Amino acid sequence: MTQLRDVLAVDPESFRLDKVDPKGTPGLPDTKAVRKDAKAWSKEAVAAIGSELAAYQEKLFASAKSGQTSRRVLLLLQAMDCGGKDGTVRSVFGGLNPTGIKAVSFGPPTDEEKRQNFLWRVERALPAAGQVGVFNRSHYEDVLVVRVHDLVPENVWSRRYDQINKFEAAQAEDGLTLVKVMLHISPEEQRQRLLDRLDDPAKYWKYNPGDVTERARWDDYQAAYQDALTRCSTVANPWFVVPADRKWYRNWAVATLLRDALASIDPQYPPAGFDVETERQRLSTPDSHGS
Ligand code: AMP
Ligand code: MG
């Protein structure tokens, strides 16, 4: 059976971002329920996947706690402004136990971060053994916004693709399963989402006039994404491009990619580190406590 990951993975040889339809729904099951009401179907499917994720997460956490595994999972989200990163996190992570989750957002580097290598702050933000992490933006900003705005010279950012590949490969060796997702929206969808924010005072806080300035650089960003996606999609750490104009498809696709990543790890509850029968015996005599 074809897995969604095979449908959405970036093939570095042939991938073209401008050929991906942001309204597309690749890999969507063709069933009666989907044909009848795709939105309603997605809501149910995402809830069901959420339960699976929660079960996997608990097992991963338990096996790491008992020292059985150093494995950890990281969902890395990149997108143009209004691409839906926050909404995706809410939808996919909503049902998980916060104890086992590590969510990190990356903004412009602080003065301290600027003095370090660009991967420094990223390494510190990685999930610990047994955790499921999510990055809202990432080290890829260092070959996206940084490249579009010439924040460092070209001979510096152009070497970063290889540095990123080496960094991610080393983390994979160290037990990290990385699920790299670009949420791909159209410029028209971005415009609509910006306008929606202006229509609702409860959304003003999400509106950033700077996003409208960035919009003018759309093509430069797309070119930078094209390079990042193809130069950093490797066998161990592939990129996935998820069409994201339709939120119901996006949520289902990202939840599915994350679920399949955890399924391939197949974490197991650790065996008892004690003799169950002995412990039962020790507890067999009722005592005076609580009586
Ligand atoms: P937001 O995700 O809306 O909170 O915005 C975060 C902002 O931080 C975006 O405009 C990013 O382009 C910017 N940003 C993130 N990482 C970097 C970086 N390494 N260098 C410069 N700007 C960055
Ligand atoms: Mg923003």
Side-chain angles (χ1 to χ4, degrees):
M1 200 184 79
T2 323
Q3 282 203 307
L4 187 63
R5 51 177 293 124
D6 301 321
V7 178
L8 298 179
V10 168
D11 176 349
E13 304 300 324
S14 60
F15 179 79
R16 290 268 305 273
L17 184 57
D18 59 356
K19 300 283 179 219
V20 178
D21 178 4
K23 285 199 161 34
T25 58
L28 190 69
D30 183 23
T31 63
K32 246 192 191 157
V34 174
R35 281 194 298 269
K36 188 164 164 248
D37 186 343
K39 264 189 202 172
W41 168 83
S42 164
K43 212 167 173 196
E44 270 184 37
V46 171
I49 297 168
S51 304
E52 287 182 72
L53 284 175
Y56 282 129
Q57 180 205 22
E58 183 173 274
K59 288 181 183 168
L60 188 70
F61 190 77
S63 61
K65 192 143 199 233
S66 67
Q68 305 252 313
T69 184
S70 63
R71 298 198 74 163
R72 54 230 154 85
V73 177
L74 175 61
L75 174 66
L76 181 160
L77 293 175
Q78 283 288 157
M80 297 294 284
D81 294 315
C82 304
K85 301 192 296 320
D86 291 317
T88 304
V89 173
R90 260 198 312 280
S91 149
V92 175
F93 282 72
L96 299 190
N97 177 355
T99 310
I101 289 180
K102 179 160 177 162
V104 182
S105 298
F106 291 95
T110 62
D111 286 342
E112 187 192 20
E113 287 166 353
K114 273 191 205 146
R115 284 194 292 274
Q116 312 286 337
N117 180 276
F118 74 104
L119 293 168
W120 181 74
R121 64 175 183 167
V122 176
E123 186 156 16
R124 288 157 47 111
L126 291 172
Q131 279 185 327
V132 179
V134 56
F135 277 5
N136 185 327
R137 306 185 189 270
S138 66
H139 44 292
Y140 283 94
E141 293 292 331
D142 292 278
V143 289
L144 293 166
V145 62
V146 167
R147 162 173 157 168
V148 169
H149 287 284
D150 296 313
L151 300 181
V152 300
E154 175 165 359
N155 70 3
V156 174
W157 62 251
S158 63
R159 278 180 302 174
R160 288 182 171 167
Y161 302 99
D162 288 340
Q163 291 163 1
I164 288 172
N165 288 340
K166 285 199 184 106
F167 170 73
E168 291 180 357
Q171 293 303 330
E173 295 261 312
D174 197 31
L176 181 73
T177 299
L178 188 54
V179 182
K180 302 188 286 192
V181 174
M182 184 221 183
L183 305 175
H184 183 47
I185 57 164
S186 60
E188 180 51 25
E189 180 68 19
Q190 186 194 53
R191 196 175 74 89
Q192 282 305 327
R193 291 183 188 182
L194 285 166
L195 282 169
D196 287 349
R197 291 176 182 183
L198 291 177
D199 285 343
D200 180 356
K203 288 186 179 166
Y204 289 169
W205 66 278
K206 290 193 200 175
Y207 188 88
N208 176 3
D211 290 353
V212 184
T213 318
E214 288 308 282
R215 250 174 85 69
R217 308 296 300 273
W218 189 275
D219 291 344
D220 296 333
Y221 272 105
Q222 298 295 299
Y225 266 109
Q226 168 70 28
D227 280 355
L229 292 167
T230 50
R231 295 191 62 178
C232 298
S233 193
T234 62
V235 174
N237 296 299
W239 265 109
F240 301 102
V241 173
V242 169
D245 274 9
R246 299 177 202 267
K247 295 174 181 173
W248 59 264
Y249 170 80
R250 170 201 84 191
N251 291 342
W252 171 77
V254 177
T256 299
L257 289 170
L258 188 61
R259 191 266 321 273
D260 292 350
L262 276 150
S264 72
I265 294 175
D266 195 19
Q268 303 292 328
Y269 285 117
F274 45 81
D275 186 72
V276 177
E277 262 324 299
T278 306
E279 294 306 307
R280 218 190 290 284
Q281 283 299 319
R282 293 176 66 208
L283 291 164
S284 64
T285 330
D287 56 26
S288 57
H289 297 299
S291 66

